[in-house]
Coordinates of all heavy atoms in Angstrom, one line a residue:
L22 N 19.0 25.6 244.1 CA 19.3 24.1 244.4 C 20.7 23.8 244.0 O 21.4 23.1 244.8 CB 18.3 23.3 243.6 CG 16.8 23.2 244.0 CD1 16.0 22.5 242.9 CD2 16.6 22.6 245.4
S23 N 21.2 24.3 242.9 CA 22.5 24.0 242.5 C 23.6 24.7 243.3 O 24.5 24.1 243.8 CB 22.7 24.4 241.0 OG 24.0 24.3 240.6
K24 N 23.3 26.0 243.6 CA 24.3 26.8 244.3 C 24.5 26.4 245.7 O 25.6 26.4 246.3 CB 23.8 28.3 244.3 CG 24.8 29.3 245.0 CD 24.3 30.7 244.9 CE 25.3 31.7 245.6 NZ 24.8 33.1 245.4
F25 N 23.4 25.9 246.4 CA 23.5 25.5 247.8 C 23.4 24.0 248.0 O 23.3 23.6 249.1 CB 22.4 26.3 248.6 CG 22.5 27.8 248.5 CD1 21.7 28.5 247.7 CD2 23.5 28.4 249.2 CE1 21.8 29.9 247.6 CE2 23.6 29.8 249.1 CZ 22.7 30.5 248.3
D26 N 23.5 23.3 246.9 CA 23.5 21.8 247.0 C 22.3 21.4 247.8 O 22.4 20.5 248.7 CB 24.8 21.3 247.6 CG 24.9 19.8 247.4 OD1 24.3 19.2 246.4 OD2 25.6 19.1 248.2
A27 N 21.1 22.0 247.5 CA 19.9 21.7 248.3 C 19.0 20.7 247.6 O 19.1 20.5 246.4 CB 19.2 23.0 248.6
S28 N 18.1 20.1 248.3 CA 17.1 19.2 247.7 C 15.7 19.4 248.2 O 14.8 18.7 247.8 CB 17.6 17.7 248.1 OG 17.6 17.5 249.5
K29 N 15.5 20.4 249.1 CA 14.2 20.7 249.7 C 13.8 22.0 249.3 O 14.5 23.0 249.3 CB 14.3 20.6 251.2 CG 14.6 19.2 251.8 CD 14.7 19.2 253.3 CE 15.1 17.9 253.9 NZ 15.2 17.9 255.4
I30 N 12.5 22.1 249.0 CA 11.9 23.4 248.5 C 10.6 23.6 249.4 O 9.7 22.7 249.4 CB 11.5 23.4 247.1 CG1 12.7 23.1 246.2 CG2 10.9 24.7 246.6 CD1 12.4 22.7 244.7
T31 N 10.4 24.8 250.0 CA 9.2 25.1 250.6 C 8.6 26.3 249.9 O 9.3 27.4 249.8 CB 9.3 25.4 252.1 OG1 9.8 24.2 252.8 CG2 8.0 25.8 252.7
V32 N 7.3 26.2 249.5 CA 6.6 27.3 248.9 C 5.6 27.8 249.8 O 4.9 27.1 250.5 CB 5.9 26.8 247.6 CG1 5.2 28.0 246.9 CG2 6.9 26.1 246.7
T33 N 5.5 29.2 250.0 CA 4.6 29.7 250.9 C 4.0 31.0 250.3 O 4.3 31.5 249.3 CB 5.3 30.1 252.2 OG1 4.4 30.4 253.2 CG2 6.3 31.2 252.1
G34 N 2.9 31.5 251.0 CA 2.2 32.6 250.6 C 0.9 32.8 251.4 O 0.5 31.9 252.2
H35 N 0.3 33.9 251.3 CA -0.9 34.3 252.1 C -2.0 34.7 251.1 O -1.7 35.4 250.1 CB -0.6 35.4 253.1 CG -1.8 36.0 253.7 ND1 -2.3 37.2 253.3 CD2 -2.6 35.6 254.7 CE1 -3.3 37.5 254.0 NE2 -3.6 36.6 254.9
S36 N -3.2 34.2 251.3 CA -4.3 34.7 250.5 C -4.1 34.3 249.0 O -3.9 33.1 248.7 CB -4.5 36.2 250.7 OG -5.7 36.6 250.1
L37 N -4.2 35.3 248.1 CA -3.9 35.0 246.7 C -2.5 34.4 246.5 O -2.3 33.5 245.7 CB -4.0 36.3 245.9 CG -3.5 36.2 244.4 CD1 -4.3 35.2 243.6 CD2 -3.7 37.6 243.8
G38 N -1.5 34.8 247.4 CA -0.2 34.3 247.3 C -0.2 32.8 247.7 O 0.7 32.0 247.2
A39 N -1.0 32.4 248.6 CA -1.1 31.0 249.0 C -1.7 30.2 247.8 O -1.3 29.0 247.5 CB -2.0 30.8 250.2
A40 N -2.7 30.7 247.1 CA -3.3 30.1 246.0 C -2.3 29.9 244.9 O -2.1 28.8 244.3 CB -4.5 30.9 245.5
I41 N -1.5 30.9 244.6 CA -0.4 30.8 243.6 C 0.6 29.8 244.1 O 1.1 29.0 243.3 CB 0.2 32.2 243.4 CG1 -0.8 33.2 242.8 CG2 1.5 32.0 242.5 CD1 -0.2 34.6 242.8
G42 N 0.9 29.8 245.3 CA 1.9 28.9 245.9 C 1.5 27.5 245.8 O 2.3 26.6 245.6
L43 N 0.2 27.2 246.0 CA -0.2 25.8 245.9 C -0.1 25.3 244.5 O 0.4 24.2 244.3 CB -1.7 25.6 246.4 CG -2.3 24.2 246.4 CD1 -1.5 23.3 247.2 CD2 -3.7 24.2 246.8
I44 N -0.5 26.1 243.5 CA -0.3 25.7 242.1 C 1.2 25.6 241.8 O 1.6 24.7 241.1 CB -1.0 26.7 241.2 CG1 -2.5 26.8 241.5 CG2 -0.8 26.3 239.7 CD1 -3.3 27.8 240.8
D45 N 2.0 26.5 242.3 CA 3.4 26.5 242.1 C 4.0 25.2 242.6 O 5.0 24.7 242.1 CB 4.0 27.7 242.8 CG 5.1 28.4 241.9 OD1 5.0 28.3 240.6 OD2 5.9 29.1 242.4
S46 N 3.5 24.7 243.8 CA 4.1 23.5 244.4 C 3.9 22.3 243.4 O 4.8 21.5 243.3 CB 3.4 23.2 245.7 OG 3.6 24.3 246.6
V47 N 2.7 22.3 242.8 CA 2.5 21.2 241.8 C 3.4 21.4 240.6 O 4.0 20.4 240.1 CB 1.0 21.2 241.4 CG1 0.7 20.2 240.2 CG2 0.1 21.0 242.5
F48 N 3.5 22.6 240.1 CA 4.4 22.9 239.0 C 5.8 22.5 239.3 O 6.5 21.9 238.5 CB 4.3 24.4 238.7 CG 5.3 25.0 237.8 CD1 5.3 24.7 236.4 CD2 6.3 25.9 238.3 CE1 6.3 25.2 235.6 CE2 7.2 26.4 237.4 CZ 7.3 26.1 236.1
L49 N 6.3 22.9 240.4 CA 7.7 22.6 240.8 C 8.0 21.1 241.0 O 9.0 20.6 240.6 CB 8.1 23.4 242.1 CG 8.2 24.9 241.9 CD1 8.4 25.6 243.2 CD2 9.4 25.3 240.9
H50 N 7.0 20.4 241.5 CA 7.1 19.0 241.6 C 7.3 18.3 240.2 O 8.1 17.4 240.0 CB 5.9 18.4 242.3 CG 5.8 16.9 242.2 ND1 6.7 16.0 242.8 CD2 5.0 16.1 241.4 CE1 6.4 14.8 242.4 NE2 5.4 14.8 241.6
L51 N 6.4 18.8 239.3 CA 6.5 18.2 237.9 C 7.8 18.6 237.2 O 8.3 17.7 236.4 CB 5.3 18.7 237.1 CG 3.9 18.2 237.6 CD1 2.8 18.9 236.8 CD2 3.8 16.7 237.4
Q52 N 8.3 19.8 237.4 CA 9.5 20.2 236.8 C 10.8 19.7 237.5 O 11.8 19.6 236.8 CB 9.5 21.8 236.7 CG 8.3 22.4 236.0 CD 8.3 22.0 234.5 OE1 9.4 21.9 233.9 NE2 7.1 21.9 233.9
L53 N 10.7 19.5 238.8 CA 11.9 19.1 239.6 C 11.5 17.8 240.4 O 11.4 17.9 241.6 CB 12.3 20.2 240.5 CG 12.7 21.5 239.8 CD1 12.8 22.7 240.8 CD2 14.0 21.4 239.0
P54 N 11.2 16.7 239.8 CA 10.6 15.6 240.5 C 11.5 15.0 241.6 O 11.0 14.3 242.4 CB 10.4 14.6 239.4 CG 11.3 15.0 238.3 CD 11.4 16.5 238.3
K55 N 12.8 15.3 241.5 CA 13.7 14.7 242.6 C 13.8 15.6 243.8 O 14.3 15.1 244.9 CB 15.1 14.6 242.0 CG 15.3 13.5 240.9 CD 16.7 13.4 240.4 CE 16.8 12.4 239.3 NZ 18.2 12.2 238.8
A56 N 13.2 16.8 243.8 CA 13.2 17.7 244.9 C 12.1 17.3 245.9 O 11.0 16.9 245.4 CB 13.1 19.1 244.5
A57 N 12.3 17.5 247.2 CA 11.2 17.3 248.2 C 10.5 18.7 248.3 O 11.1 19.7 248.6 CB 11.8 16.9 249.5
I58 N 9.2 18.7 248.0 CA 8.4 19.9 247.9 C 7.5 20.0 249.1 O 6.8 19.0 249.5 CB 7.6 20.0 246.7 CG1 8.4 19.7 245.4 CG2 6.8 21.3 246.6 CD1 9.4 20.8 245.0
R59 N 7.4 21.1 249.8 CA 6.5 21.4 250.9 C 5.8 22.7 250.6 O 6.3 23.6 250.0 CB 7.3 21.5 252.2 CG 6.4 21.7 253.4 CD 7.2 21.9 254.7 NE 6.4 22.0 255.8 CZ 6.8 22.3 257.1 NH1 8.1 22.6 257.3 NH2 6.0 22.3 258.1
F60 N 4.5 22.7 250.9 CA 3.7 23.9 250.8 C 3.1 24.3 252.1 O 2.5 23.5 252.8 CB 2.5 23.7 249.8 CG 1.5 24.8 249.8 CD1 1.7 26.0 249.3 CD2 0.2 24.6 250.4 CE1 0.8 27.1 249.3 CE2 -0.7 25.6 250.5 CZ -0.4 26.8 249.9
V61 N 3.3 25.6 252.5 CA 2.7 26.1 253.7 C 2.0 27.4 253.3 O 2.7 28.4 253.0 CB 3.8 26.4 254.8 CG1 3.2 27.0 256.1 CG2 4.6 25.1 255.1
G62 N 0.7 27.4 253.4 CA -0.1 28.5 253.0 C -0.9 29.1 254.1 O -1.3 28.3 255.0
Y63 N -1.3 30.4 254.0 CA -2.0 31.0 255.1 C -3.3 31.7 254.4 O -3.1 32.4 253.4 CB -1.2 32.1 255.8 CG 0.0 31.5 256.4 CD1 1.2 31.2 255.7 CD2 0.0 31.1 257.8 CE1 2.3 30.7 256.3 CE2 1.1 30.5 258.4 CZ 2.3 30.3 257.6 OH 3.4 29.7 258.2
G64 N -4.4 31.5 255.0 CA -5.6 32.1 254.5 C -5.9 31.7 253.1 O -6.3 32.5 252.2

């Protein structure tokens, strides 16, 4: 975020990775509340 002056985060994964990613999306929102968080999971 700092290096690229970014404000958007997309978390992704498949299967177990999608499950981890969904929880990670909540975690990142709480830790980085000013960032725009998106989750795209498969299976």
Side-chain angles (χ1 to χ4, degrees):
L22 290 172
S23 175
K24 182 176 181 179
F25 300 102
D26 193 25
S28 60
K29 299 178 181 179
I30 304 165
T31 295
V32 184
T33 190
H35 167 258
S36 191
L37 173 58
I41 296 170
L43 181 59
I44 300 173
D45 224 24
S46 298
V47 175
F48 166 70
L49 290 171
H50 166 70
L51 293 173
Q52 301 296 327
L53 303 166
K55 293 183 179 180
I58 310 289
R59 183 183 187 188
F60 167 75
V61 180
Y63 300 84

